[in-house]
Amino acid sequence: MKELSSRLALRSILVSYLFILVIMPISAVYLKGFSLGWDPFWKEITGIIAWKAIILTLKLSILTTFIQAFLGTFIAFVLVRYKFWGRRWLNSLIDLPFSLPTAVSGLMLLTLLGPTSPFGKWLESFGISLLYNESAIVIGMIFITLPFVIRTVQPMIEQLDPFEEQASFILGAGKAFTFFKITLPAVFPGIIAGSMLTFSRSLAEFGAISLISGNLPGKTQVASVYIYGEIENYNTQGAAAVSVVLITFSLVVLLLANFLQKWKGRTI
Amino acid sequence: MHIEVKDLEKKFGSFIAIQKASFKIQKGHLVGLLGPSGGGKTSLLRMLAGLEQPDSGEIFFNGNLANSLSIQAREIGFVFQNYALFKHMTVFENIAYGLKVKKQKASVIKERVFHLLQIMGLEGIEKKYPHQLSGGQRQRVAFARALAPEPQLLLLDEPFAAIDAKIRKELRIWLRNLINEFGVTTIFVTHDQDEAIEVADEIIIVQKGRIEQQGSPWEIYNQPSSSFVASFIGESNSLASPISLQGFPDLPRYFRGEDRNSEVKVYIRPEWIEIRTENKYYLASASEPAVVSHVHFRGDSWFIEFQLTNGTKLFTYQSIKEHFLKVGDQINILIHQLIVFTPSETRVLENRSKIDPMPVFI
Amino acid sequence: MRRLFISMTILILFLILFLPFLSIVLGAFDQGADAFLVALQRPESLHALKVSFIIVMIVVVINTIIGILLSIEMIRGTWISRWLRPLINVLVDLPFAVSPIIGGLMIILLFGPNTVMGMFFENAGIKIVFALPGMVLATIFVTFPLVIREIVPILEELGMTYEEASASLGAGPLRTFFLVTWPSIRWAIYNGIILTIARSVGEFGAVLVVSGNILNQTQTATTLVYQDSVDFNMIAAYSVALLLGLFSITVLLILDWLKKRKEDQLNAH
Ligand SMILES: Nc1ncnc2c1ncn2[C@@H]1O[C@H](COP(=O)(O)OP(=O)(O)OP(=O)(O)O)[C@@H](O)[C@H]1O
Ligand SMILES: [Mg+2]
């Protein structure tokens, strides 16, 4: 009897913990966003600056996701399939953007792309500037999201049945044909899942981007920086309204990724 | 396709997986590759398919050197042990794959795939995915996929390993008929000697990377070329110590000689042993008295173990229609033949006394 | 082909990962090692590092305990019925999908000066927003899936049989936990803890919003780096950033080592 009640107590604590930590805060954002009703919410997010920030963030996140889907899949294949000197070491380095504080990442990119660094000077000699514009934001997003596609695709490549590829060769198919018809489709769910993580992380990123984007309202200001600005200006309702848009997007993507993961688990 | 393999060798690091393997296979033959686990059966198949490169030796297809031929150009069908079906493709797409690679017309592909589906008894499942199929269905899809591009040589690596014993027996006959119908040269690996003996035109025994013997099932069974083959195929009583048996006056000769004793082996198959309960005096000079020491029911026969007067224990099987024996019964044993292996020769010895004094009935 | 692909990979990773890191190392030592050390020993640097350290300690302890309990309940608890489990799964993943800035905003919305709860705690003499408790809360929100996500797959794979066997042999729940469950999830927990440490040290957006970034009070190592870079106090920014960067690399090395241990353990079976 005593054991039962202590279990019950533990469970209530855990449930309330989840409630306080996750459900309450998220509902708070939605409540605040809609606190004045639908029209002010709509007005907040369609305000010219907020709207442009949302569109910019979406646009660049999608671009980053596509780049990362290709780049990450490519790197994952090279790291799994080819044995070369330093591979293990490179492989551990992939997680650096995850373990690095985002503010530090931002500072790194700021320095590298800035006019004082040799690299920045070299770029400048070609008339290329990668700071305080959209390309800077994309670079920041790519840096931050580098591990996602690689880390979801890698284990899937490792678990591939090597005999499937061999069967394809024996049936007369060449290397490229086999790769695109047999290998790639088999890891495709992983690419999608990793890309969705990439997308939602790109939407969310603040630290690495705020230092290098220049934050020009309406031009290079991303949604998270806009939200930060509104918080600083004590416009929590405006911040919450844009937050609602971002969270909703991420949530949908996250649910899709979860679903895909399960679907993948069922077929294989 | 006629296959010839000459002095093939394959090493994995310093480990020698295949050693000086040579054999020939006639066009249209069905060959069973038999041997203990790790013997090198899969390695041989993989070299024929071009999935592994031999370190030395030659492979000839129809008399032409095939060593440098690419995997794709060998026109081989391969059924993997785990089938290796393409998981993200339907049954139809799996079977059609080899034809698509050859850029066949869609109508031709469709016709061929449906023809194969029908032969394999797979009608109606062409839209399913591999994970929705039973083990036997998967296996037949793998066969159909391998046969679709009309290969010259079909390689099967333990095709029935993952299928339960009863269905396996049916599949053997099915395989035999299928291969006859397609007339394609086939090599299949198996662990199951009954399967090999029943289905194959020829059997190749592989052990520790070496070809131990190649021959018809009858030859392999009745004229094993080494003590390994004799002990590996079928059941045998094996006698290692020097003994003398009635009717085999030459037997002790093989055990003579200085240090040969340990390497001399005598094998007696159970069916070469006849148990007689009456007529003890008939062919007395050819037979041995013995005492039954163990009796065990096997369903379709009795397992009988008995002891000769010199202490040697042997076993045989007796039909359940025969006289029922009990432990301790006195019996009379007639050994019709045995086989002796010495380092230098292999001899099948017939019971001499059986023929000598009087005509025999067996 | 092979050569080309390998070189391309190395080049890409060099450009994306290596060059940025190098630039910060060069930046930190731009004016010699002394300037670097001086910058590190500024009182605001030391204070920021101390604040970060305190937050990490609290967060790790809370996350680990709650993480273990919650994971076990998620897998074992029959009371979590089928329809509730996916929901909890999504809840646990949510912090991954929410921008840290929004995470900070949530805490301001809940505990800010003008909110019911904020006033309640204010009256009780506890300041949450623009103070340590808020920063801890924000960090927990961001990091709490890490331990759980490491343990749950292991527990799922392990199944109930071991624990049932242990219980049937007469071991109590605590004994069962320490003798049976703990050894099998130990490495996953270490992994989760290391990830939690890395993320809590590195957490920036949420903490920036909640802390108000008050010098020598609520400034953490990362917000200090940010402040210094915005103020173009570059040497100072680089010095703390380099310290954090080296810390991250250490974290990677430990994770790598843990992974190898886990693999060895698997191979040993
Ligand atoms: N890729 C490889 N690397 C190293 N050793 C290998 C490799 N492939 C096979 N071997 C070794 O070569 C030997 C022969 O292997 P093979 O797979 O041909 O045996 P097998 O006769 O097919 O055995 P089984 O009946 O168990 O399938 C084995 O000892 C195996 O360990
Ligand atoms: Mg094999």
Side-chain angles (χ1 to χ4, degrees):
Chain A
M1 208 52 218
K2 191 179 142 233
E3 195 187 311
L4 197 75
S5 58
S6 69
R7 285 211 143 191
L8 222 65
L10 177 67
R11 281 166 194 177
S12 334
I13 290 172
L14 288 175
V15 171
S16 6
Y17 183 82
L18 267 183
F19 185 76
I20 294 174
L21 201 68
V22 187
I23 300 181
M24 249 171 52
I26 293 208
S27 337
V29 171
Y30 275 82
L31 286 178
K32 186 75 186 184
F34 292 110
S35 58
L36 306 174
W38 175 260
D39 286 340
F41 167 80
W42 192 242
K43 218 161 139 194
E44 281 292 347
I45 62 167
T46 49
I48 184 87
I49 292 174
W51 185 249
K52 282 202 165 167
I54 291 173
I55 294 298
L56 179 76
T57 311
L58 279 177
K59 186 179 86 183
L60 298 185
S61 298
I62 291 171
L63 179 65
T64 303
T65 306
F66 273 103
I67 295 176
Q68 211 63 277
F70 282 100
L71 206 64
T73 309
F74 174 74
I75 293 176
F77 267 101
V78 171
L79 286 180
V80 174
R81 287 288 167 93
Y82 297 132
K83 311 275 176 259
F84 55 95
W85 188 86
R87 180 184 70 120
R88 200 190 143 72
W89 191 76
L90 267 188
N91 190 27
S92 336
L93 216 64
I94 300 287
D95 286 323
L96 187 67
F98 187 77
S99 72
L100 214 55
T102 54
V104 174
S105 309
L107 178 62
M108 283 180 176
L109 293 173
L110 175 69
T111 312
L112 179 71
L113 304 174
T116 53
S117 87
F119 186 72
K121 278 188 192 131
W122 182 70
L123 285 176
E124 207 163 44
S125 69
F126 295 100
I128 302 172
S129 169
L130 295 180
L131 207 54
Y132 306 138
N133 54 24
E134 290 188 5
S135 32
I137 301 174
V138 174
I139 290 174
M141 286 178 172
I142 287 182
F143 180 86
I144 290 297
T145 57
L146 184 73
F148 292 112
V149 174
I150 299 179
R151 287 300 187 230
T152 40
V153 173
Q154 251 179 339
M156 296 193 72
I157 303 175
E158 278 162 7
Q159 284 159 20
L160 281 183
D161 178 3
F163 295 130
E164 275 187 48
E165 287 178 7
Q166 294 175 5
S168 166
F169 293 148
I170 287 175
L171 288 167
K175 275 194 174 167
F177 192 90
T178 302
F179 180 79
F180 287 110
K181 289 282 176 186
I182 304 296
T183 318
L184 205 55
V187 298
F188 198 69
I191 300 176
I192 297 289
S195 301
M196 293 191 157
L197 292 176
T198 301
F199 179 70
S200 83
R201 185 67 206 267
S202 303
L203 281 186
E205 186 47 35
F206 170 76
I209 294 175
S210 65
L211 280 175
I212 54 176
S213 66
N215 304 331
L216 221 58
K219 283 237 165 72
T220 61
Q221 190 180 49
V222 294
S224 59
V225 174
Y226 174 82
I227 295 171
Y228 178 61
E230 293 309 289
I231 298 172
E232 294 287 275
N233 294 333
Y234 303 106
N235 176 12
T236 44
Q237 199 258 330
V242 177
S243 300
V244 163
V245 176
L246 281 196
I247 296 180
T248 309
F249 261 106
S250 295
L251 215 57
V252 169
V253 164
L254 193 77
L255 283 172
L256 273 177
N258 238 340
F259 173 76
L260 263 176
Q261 212 82 7
K262 274 208 193 91
W263 172 75
K264 175 200 88 193
R266 201 144 34 93
T267 46
I268 294 175
Chain B
M1 185 153 66
H2 178 271
I3 315 283
E4 182 174 1
V5 166
K6 260 192 201 157
D7 293 335
L8 212 58
E9 288 215 318
K10 177 72 192 170
K11 289 187 193 135
F12 292 111
S14 61
F15 177 79
I16 304 176
I18 296 292
Q19 251 182 87
K20 293 264 172 229
S22 303
F23 56 84
K24 283 181 196 168
I25 296 173
Q26 273 178 31
K27 188 170 161 39
H29 262 204
L30 173 55
V31 175
L33 208 53
L34 201 57
S37 192
K41 305 179 293 291
T42 301
S43 305
L44 267 179
L45 287 201
R46 290 175 63 81
M47 281 192 281
L48 286 176
L51 293 169
E52 301 284 356
Q53 280 302 317
D55 292 312
S56 67
E58 285 116 37
I59 299 171
F60 297 94
F61 289 162
N62 287 333
N64 302 318
L65 189 64
N67 284 37
S68 54
L69 222 54
S70 72
I71 308 174
Q72 290 84 0
R74 294 192 184 205
E75 299 194 53
I76 279 176
F78 201 123
V79 176
F80 290 87
Q81 189 173 338
N82 67 351
Y83 313 140
L85 295 178
F86 305 134
K87 295 186 194 72
H88 60 283
M89 293 187 188
T90 61
V91 168
F92 182 94
E93 289 166 326
N94 263 284
I95 300 175
Y97 190 83
L99 301 167
K100 279 218 184 92
V101 169
K102 285 188 169 169
K103 301 210 162 59
Q104 304 260 17
K105 263 192 273 170
S107 57
V108 177
I109 293 178
K110 199 170 169 194
E111 192 181 323
R112 174 108 182 118
V113 172
F114 277 100
H115 176 62
L116 281 163
L117 283 170
Q118 186 219 326
I119 291 179
M120 301 286 163
L122 293 171
E123 295 110 322
I125 65 156
E126 68 271 7
K127 290 206 180 77
K128 288 194 176 177
Y129 284 89
H131 69 96
Q132 299 168 318
L133 304 180
S134 73
Q137 286 173 327
R138 271 178 225 177
Q139 198 245 9
R140 278 176 283 162
V141 173
F143 266 100
R145 186 180 69 179
L147 287 170
E150 300 184 27
Q152 299 278 316
L153 170 64
L154 188 60
L155 303 175
L156 315 171
D157 195 352
E158 306 193 30
F160 304 133
I163 292 175
D164 71 82
K166 220 166 175 183
I167 301 175
R168 264 168 94 142
K169 283 205 170 172
E170 295 168 24
L171 283 175
R172 281 180 206 168
I173 299 157
W174 173 82
L175 174 71
R176 176 77 258 185
N177 295 338
L178 186 76
I179 307 269
N180 281 346
E181 186 171 332
F182 281 80
V184 52
T185 313
T186 303
I187 305 178
F188 78 105
V189 171
T190 175
H191 269 131
D192 183 342
Q193 39 173 300
D194 293 344
E195 198 167 286
I197 288 171
E198 199 177 313
V199 175
D201 295 317
E202 254 188 319
I203 292 178
I204 296 178
I205 309 263
V206 186
Q207 192 229 175
K208 290 192 182 146
R210 263 188 282 252
I211 308 283
E212 287 280 342
Q213 188 173 3
Q214 177 179 12
S216 69
W218 194 90
E219 282 169 336
I220 297 275
Y221 193 82
N222 290 297
Q223 294 163 2
S225 66
S226 67
S227 67
F228 169 76
V229 176
S231 61
F232 185 72
I233 299 290
E235 285 180 295
S236 285
N237 291 283
S238 115
L239 309 173
S241 55
I243 53 158
S244 56
L245 289 170
Q246 290 289 349
F248 300 94
D250 289 345
L251 194 54
R253 189 167 65 79
Y254 294 95
F255 282 98
R256 237 175 273 134
E258 321 299 277
D259 41 42
R260 275 165 133 207
N261 286 12
S262 56
E263 290 161 36
V264 175
K265 284 232 160 117
V266 176
Y267 288 96
I268 309 171
R269 295 233 186 259
E271 59 270 27
W272 294 341
I273 298 175
E274 187 183 340
I275 293 184
R276 302 163 338 146
T277 46
E278 293 134 38
N279 275 336
K280 274 189 190 170
Y281 303 102
Y282 178 65
L283 279 181
S285 61
S287 55
E288 299 260 354
V291 180
V292 176
S293 59
H294 188 81
V295 177
H296 183 78
F297 181 59
R298 290 177 78 236
D300 54 353
S301 60
W302 292 98
F303 171 91
I304 313 276
E305 191 191 55
F306 52 86
Q307 191 162 19
L308 302 181
T309 43
N310 63 14
T312 310
K313 276 195 172 173
L314 299 173
F315 74 89
T316 185
Y317 300 111
Q318 191 173 30
S319 160
I320 44 173
K321 282 178 253 161
E322 298 282 324
H323 184 82
F324 175 69
L325 290 169
K326 298 183 300 296
V327 173
D329 281 356
Q330 295 285 333
I331 51 171
N332 198 269
I333 296 302
L334 180 62
I335 298 172
H336 290 282
Q337 71 175 30
L338 48 75
I339 188 161
V340 186
F341 295 96
T342 73
S344 53
E345 57 184 328
T346 302
R347 271 291 160 82
V348 180
L349 302 182
E350 294 286 330
N351 190 327
R352 290 250 206 104
S353 321
K354 209 171 77 179
I355 341 155
D356 274 355
M358 267 187 264
V360 204
F361 73 94
I362 308 177
Chain C
M1 207 65 155
R2 183 193 126 96
R3 282 245 175 114
L4 176 73
F5 285 168
I6 294 176
S7 329
M8 274 171 69
T9 302
I10 293 179
L11 183 72
I12 293 168
L13 293 180
F14 179 79
L15 280 176
I16 297 184
L17 294 178
F18 219 58
L19 263 188
F21 200 88
L22 200 65
S23 66
I24 218 169
V25 177
L26 292 179
F29 292 104
D30 195 31
Q31 287 165 26
D34 288 344
F36 167 69
L37 288 175
V38 168
L40 261 190
Q41 284 161 355
R42 289 178 308 159
E44 52 267 44
S45 304
L46 293 177
H47 189 268
L49 287 171
K50 196 179 95 190
V51 173
S52 283
F53 182 76
I54 294 172
I55 294 178
V56 170
M57 291 316 282
I58 301 175
V59 169
V60 164
V61 170
I62 296 180
N63 258 356
T64 309
I65 294 174
I66 300 276
I68 293 174
L69 290 176
L70 203 59
S71 312
I72 292 182
E73 286 292 321
M74 267 173 77
I75 297 298
R76 306 281 189 255
T78 42
W79 59 286
I80 302 184
S81 53
R82 292 205 177 280
W83 59 269
L84 202 59
R85 197 168 304 211
L87 191 75
I88 292 191
N89 252 327
V90 171
L91 282 187
V92 170
D93 271 341
L94 252 179
F96 279 147
V98 171
S99 173
I101 289 290
I102 301 177
L105 171 66
M106 291 172 176
I107 290 178
I108 290 194
L109 290 180
L110 280 178
F111 299 103
N114 303 324
T115 62
V116 181
M117 276 203 273
M119 286 200 225
F120 171 79
F121 282 107
E122 189 92 54
N123 287 339
I126 305 169
K127 210 171 162 219
I128 291 186
V129 170
F130 305 132
L132 204 63
M135 296 157 74
V136 169
L137 262 180
T139 311
I140 288 183
F141 175 81
V142 172
T143 58
F144 105 104
L146 293 169
V147 173
I148 298 176
R149 278 283 162 258
E150 290 288 318
I151 306 177
V152 164
I154 306 263
L155 281 181
E156 246 166 11
E157 206 167 297
L158 201 66
M160 293 277 269
T161 42
Y162 288 96
E163 287 179 14
E164 280 169 354
S166 166
S168 72
L169 292 172
L174 266 186
R175 207 187 166 90
T176 302
F177 176 80
F178 280 107
L179 286 180
V180 180
T181 317
W182 171 254
S184 46
I185 58 174
R186 194 165 48 140
W187 294 103
I189 292 176
Y190 296 158
N191 223 28
I193 291 178
I194 298 288
L195 288 174
T196 308
I197 293 176
R199 278 292 273 162
S200 351
V201 170
E203 186 39 48
F204 169 62
V207 168
L208 180 68
V209 171
V210 171
S211 69
N213 202 13
I214 307 164
L215 191 69
N216 281 338
Q217 280 185 35
T218 61
Q219 200 164 47
T220 66
T222 49
T223 55
L224 176 70
V225 168
Y226 176 74
Q227 198 57 53
D228 280 337
S229 350
V230 172
D231 298 344
F232 288 103
N233 187 0
M234 289 322 249
I235 290 282
Y238 290 143
S239 60
V240 180
L242 181 60
L243 198 69
L244 290 172
L246 292 178
F247 178 77
S248 305
I249 290 194
T250 315
V251 162
L252 282 188
L253 291 178
I254 296 176
L255 285 176
D256 198 55
W257 179 77
L258 282 174
K259 200 174 128 207
K260 217 157 80 188
R261 281 222 48 151
K262 240 190 320 193
E263 278 164 12
D264 289 350
Q265 208 178 20
L266 277 182
N267 291 340
H269 282 305

